[in-house]
Amino acid sequence: MEESFKENEENCSYDLYLQEIEGIDDYWGPTFRTIFDNNQHHNFKQKLDERVKQHDKDIERLCNVYYQGFIESVTELLEVKSQSKNLNDQVIHLDKELQRSFQPLAKSGTELLQARKVQSNIATVMAQLNLCLPVFTCYSKLQKQIADKKYYPALKTLEELEHVHLPHVANYRFSNQLCQKIPKYRDKIEAASMGDLKDFLENIRKFSPKIGEVAMRHTSEQLASDPTVVGRKKKRNFLQAESRSNSTEEDLSAHELIDFSPIYRGLHIAEVLGKVTAFEAYYRSERTKQARLVLQPPTNMHESEESYRNYIYAVLGFFILEDHVLNTGRGLITKAFLEEMWSVALSKITTALQTHSAYCTDATLVLKIKDLIMLFCSTLRNYGYSVKPLWELMRELRDHYTEVLMQRWVQVFREILSKEDFQPIIVHDEEEYEQILQSFPWDVDLPDDITFPYSFPFSSMVPKVYQQVKEFIYACLKFSEDLNLSQVEVDEMIRKSMNLLLTRTFSGCLSSSFRSPHINLQKITQIIIDTGYLEDANIYLDQFISNITGEETRNITVGAIQNQHAMFRVAREDAVRQICEKLKQKLNEFLELESYDWNLVEPKGHASTFISDIIRFLQTTFQSFTDLPPEVAQIACRAACDHIANCMFDMLMNEEIRQISMGALNQLNLDLLQCEQFAASEPVNGLQQDELLSYFTKLRELLDLLISWDWPTYFHDYAQETSRYKNVRPEIAVILLEKLKEGDKKNIFTVLNKNERDKKKLLETVLKQLRQLCVK
Amino acid sequence: MAKTYDYLFKLLLIGDSGVGKTCVLFRFSEDAFNTTFISTIGIDFKIRTIDLDGKKIKLQIWDTAGQERFRTITTAYYRGAMGIMLVYDITNEKSFENIKNWIRNIEENASADVEKMLLGNKCELEEKRQVSKERGEQLAIEYGIKFIETSAKASIRVEEAFFTLARDIKAKMEKKLEASNPPKGGHQLRTSEPQKKPTSWLSRCTLL
């Protein structure tokens, strides 16, 4: 027992130690010391081993108990692990999916947000815009109106804009700008309306000729349908009817062709802007300038009707427009202004037309100008303008027209005369015969049976000229148409013109045709005959005029008959002179062949060849020209004899011939005899006996005196009417005696002859006496 | 008065009316042409001076009317003529046929030794020709005279015709002069040269 106890006790202390060790994780020192101190460590070690064994056993058992569970748990855990991994994967995937599908949504969300913001902005802007809109509408209206040139509404719009709309939007910058622009717009409108006016002015300047033209046409139509003038101009009426049907497209009255609105508008605008006076002034000055331009005729106006027409149209158009403006322009121009302008214009027009028509040399053109001016006057009168000076102009133009006609007929006559062969007309059949008789009134009893070819006494010039005179009368008449002249006036005018035409123009042409170098005796003869027939036809022309004018053939007719044969007197005298001239030319050609041997001792016993040729030629000629009127033939024959006598006398007196023989004198005597024979043979009917001989008297007496040496008689009868040698002037005798003396000197042998010596002495005495006579 | 020429030849133009005698003469004297036909009345003449071998020759050319009614008047001129131009129209057969009548006229009225020449005028109208050149030549040979075809209008050989005729007359006359000159002065020919006159006059004087 004590031992047991003691053992017990010892056990207990071990336990405690164990507990202590077990209970405390560290700080095991003290315990171990105690043990060691007690020397128990062996025991304790044992004990501790025991204890460890016990714990191992406990652990082993515990482990056995829990092992299965552990395994199971591990298995389970492994399972969980895979599952959790799976789950994890799923979650990740899901997350990804989610992420992806959310992305667009998120984007839309952002956008939506943006849109919302914009929307709200727009709403704000719209509200503001609504406020501004009237301004803009108004502004655009303004622009449009300006663009459409509706300046007056534009002005109104501008006002509206300024006073109604702009104040609402004053805080905007554009509004400020607009405000600033408004005065500019006003200026612009004003400028534009002025521009329009300028355009308009330019336009009417271009258009006014057209207006003039239309107005003239209307007037002419009106005149045509005027019953009071219809009778006088049927022909023209017809023409105009035609022209009217051609121009139906323009039945507007003249001023309707032009749109005057720019003026009215401009005037309105000027009123609104308060600038009416400036506008008026501008208009008037511009128009005055235009008037100056319009009234300036084109420099070559006289060249064509077209220029005249354009000029007149332009002037007319201008004043029609002005008239219209006066009537509708609310005082834009005043009557006084227009009247003043017109009076200036009228004088200019008159001068211009006067000047230019004076240049005109074409009758048709003058006629056309006349018609134009007539129509111009009528139209102007319709518009209430006075046209008096133009009527004066018409009278001047009429005179000019006649003048021009004369000139034209100079050409016509020249043409006829130049183509004329001056041969009697020869017709080959009835038809031609009738034709001639129709074209020329031949007042003669025509034989009933005529044989063809038939020869008229006159040449083709006669009917042609007769027809032309008629044409001339018609042409003259054309001018007096519509001129509202009295019948008497027309009649007088035409008669005067016709007389002038025949006596001046035609006669002049005839006379000038005589001067043509190719005219021969034959032609001149025919002309003389022709003039006779033309004069005879004068009475028919007179009737012709009376028929046209309806005037009785008055006293003029009687007068005309009286000096009928005086009409071409000048021309005929000219013709006769020409005949004589031609004849003389021929005679001169013969005389140039003269070949006297002035020292001829003995005459040939017959006349010189050139003299016999001359005489034969004269005989033949007067024999052949049976047509030559007797009085003309007489004149010609006288002229021929006179010429021959003078020429022969001149030959004798020729200063170059200093010596003449008696033989030569005798030859001359023979020649003179030949001439005298011709003179006495009555080569032309109706000459007084001895009339032709008288031309040779002077020469005859001279030759007789010299050949018969009859000086005593000469001196005895000197200066007496009955003297045989009364035509021998002593001076002439002296000259010839000197020549004879010279001629005698040549003959040296004569000195030896007593007879000759006596003769010489006598000659000296005669010469002395003659010289004394000369001195007296 | 000094003479301005050495010889004076009187030529005559005859032929039917309208063959162009006046025109031929007009061409020769004035070198011009006139288309209008004006038949000559009676007789007319033109004078032209030509130069032939240094001699001035005045040609006084008588233009006769071809018309029958002037025949008596015109035949009176044949005698004085020294040369005669017989003119026909190559476009007018009749005018050619009538040449022999004209020749007969010459034989009856003109001096025997007159120089003659045949002219076929209007030779420019080849397309209207009725008388061949050969026939003209033949006829001329028959009468022993010269022949030329002329055109007054186109101015073909007119000059030549007159010059030829003038030359022939001159030759004939000079031959005659030579034959008659040695024995005595040819004062019967008024166409003799003026400078010969004093000598002839002197020779006559010595005879007196």
Side-chain angles (χ1 to χ4, degrees), chain A residues 400-574:
Chain A
H400 180 62
Y401 175 71
T402 320
E403 210 50 48
V404 167
L405 278 187
M406 296 275 193
Q407 271 160 25
R408 190 161 102 187
W409 258 267
V410 166
Q411 295 304 321
V412 170
F413 288 142
R414 280 208 187 125
E415 175 91 12
I416 290 177
L417 291 173
S418 74
K419 286 188 180 155
E420 185 58 45
D421 57 2
F422 299 110
Q423 300 273 309
I425 304 173
I426 292 171
V427 289
H428 298 283
D429 54 37
E430 186 76 32
E431 198 184 332
E432 283 179 272
Y433 177 78
E434 286 300 324
Q435 219 177 336
I436 299 292
L437 283 185
Q438 264 168 23
S439 61
F440 182 72
W442 191 20
D443 194 15
V444 81
D445 290 328
L446 291 162
D448 290 334
D449 52 335
I450 31 172
T451 49
F452 293 104
Y454 178 80
S455 175
F456 283 95
F458 44 82
S459 78
S460 65
M461 167 190 101
V462 174
K464 275 186 202 158
V465 168
Y466 182 75
Q467 288 304 322
Q468 279 307 326
V469 174
K470 273 188 173 180
E471 289 291 322
F472 174 81
I473 292 170
Y474 278 128
C476 273
L477 206 64
K478 260 189 201 147
F479 196 91
S480 38
E481 268 179 8
D482 322 324
L483 216 52
N484 300 323
L485 292 172
S486 73
Q487 301 270 321
V488 184
E489 238 176 318
V490 173
D491 188 79
E492 218 157 74
M493 181 197 94
I494 290 176
R495 277 175 211 279
K496 212 177 99 193
S497 307
M498 186 195 80
N499 253 314
L500 264 179
L501 177 79
L502 286 172
T503 52
R504 206 183 67 189
T505 314
F506 181 62
S507 293
C509 288
L510 271 183
S511 293
S512 73
S513 72
F514 296 143
R515 279 181 260 295
S516 150
H518 298 303
I519 198 104
N520 58 20
L521 226 60
Q522 215 172 321
K523 290 181 181 177
I524 301 175
T525 312
Q526 187 61 50
I527 291 174
I528 293 175
I529 295 166
D530 288 349
T531 51
Y533 283 100
L534 278 176
E535 281 170 342
D536 288 342
N538 200 22
I539 186 165
Y540 295 97
L541 286 176
D542 211 63
Q543 276 171 15
F544 177 70
I545 295 176
S546 301
N547 288 345
I548 290 176
T549 60
E551 269 303 297
E552 275 298 302
T553 46
R554 291 161 301 151
N555 292 340
I556 286 174
T557 323
V558 185
I561 287 174
Q562 274 168 357
N563 38 25
Q564 208 177 48
H565 289 284
M567 184 161 270
F568 298 117
R569 206 193 65 232
V570 179
R572 209 166 19 238
E573 277 169 4
D574 215 355

Side-chain angles (χ1 to χ4, degrees), chain A residues 421 423 518 522-523 586 589-590 593-595 598 601 609 613 616-617 620 624-625 651 654 657, chain B residues 1 3 5 8 10 26 38-39 41-45 47 58 60 62 70 73 76-77 190 197 201:
Chain A
D421 57 2
Q423 300 273 309
H518 298 303
Q522 215 172 321
K523 290 181 181 177
K586 281 284 165 196
E589 284 183 54
F590 278 114
L593 299 175
E594 168 271 327
S595 57
W598 295 104
V601 175
T609 334
D613 281 349
R616 193 163 52 187
F617 177 73
T620 313
S624 308
F625 283 84
M651 282 178 207
N654 191 342
I657 295 153
Chain B
M1 236 187 269
K3 271 213 286 188
Y5 57 90
L8 173 76
K10 292 186 191 175
F26 198 45
I38 298 169
S39 69
I41 290 181
I43 196 143
D44 194 7
F45 71 91
I47 292 174
K58 253 194 203 289
Q60 184 179 33
W62 292 90
F70 295 115
I73 289 172
Y77 284 83
R190 45 186 305 270
K197 288 218 160 145
W201 173 79

Side-chain angles (χ1 to χ4, degrees), chain A residues 678-719:
Chain A
F678 168 74
S681 70
E682 204 186 351
V684 174
N685 288 334
L687 277 174
Q688 292 284 311
Q689 202 159 15
D690 296 346
E691 198 182 341
L692 288 178
L693 272 175
S694 69
Y695 291 104
F696 297 101
T697 318
K698 196 165 109 186
L699 194 56
R700 164 54 54 214
E701 289 180 6
L702 185 60
L703 284 181
D704 278 355
L705 177 62
L706 289 171
I707 289 167
S708 62
W709 217 249
D710 191 10
W711 297 105
T713 324
Y714 180 74
F715 290 123
H716 182 263
D717 294 347
Y718 183 75

Side-chain angles (χ1 to χ4, degrees), chain A residues 194-238:
Chain A
M194 279 317 227
D196 264 6
L197 180 65
K198 272 181 201 154
D199 287 350
F200 168 77
L201 287 173
E202 219 168 279
N203 196 22
I204 53 172
R205 179 156 157 63
K206 267 185 268 168
F207 237 100
S208 54
K210 180 87 187 147
I211 290 169
E213 190 184 343
V214 173
M216 295 264 274
R217 189 161 54 235
H218 285 305
T219 314
S220 77
E221 280 160 15
Q222 203 183 340
L223 284 179
S225 53
D226 189 342
T228 56
V229 282
V230 156
R232 294 185 64 192
K233 39 177 208 159
K234 273 180 228 154
K235 205 164 54 178
R236 300 189 36 174
N237 214 349
F238 174 69

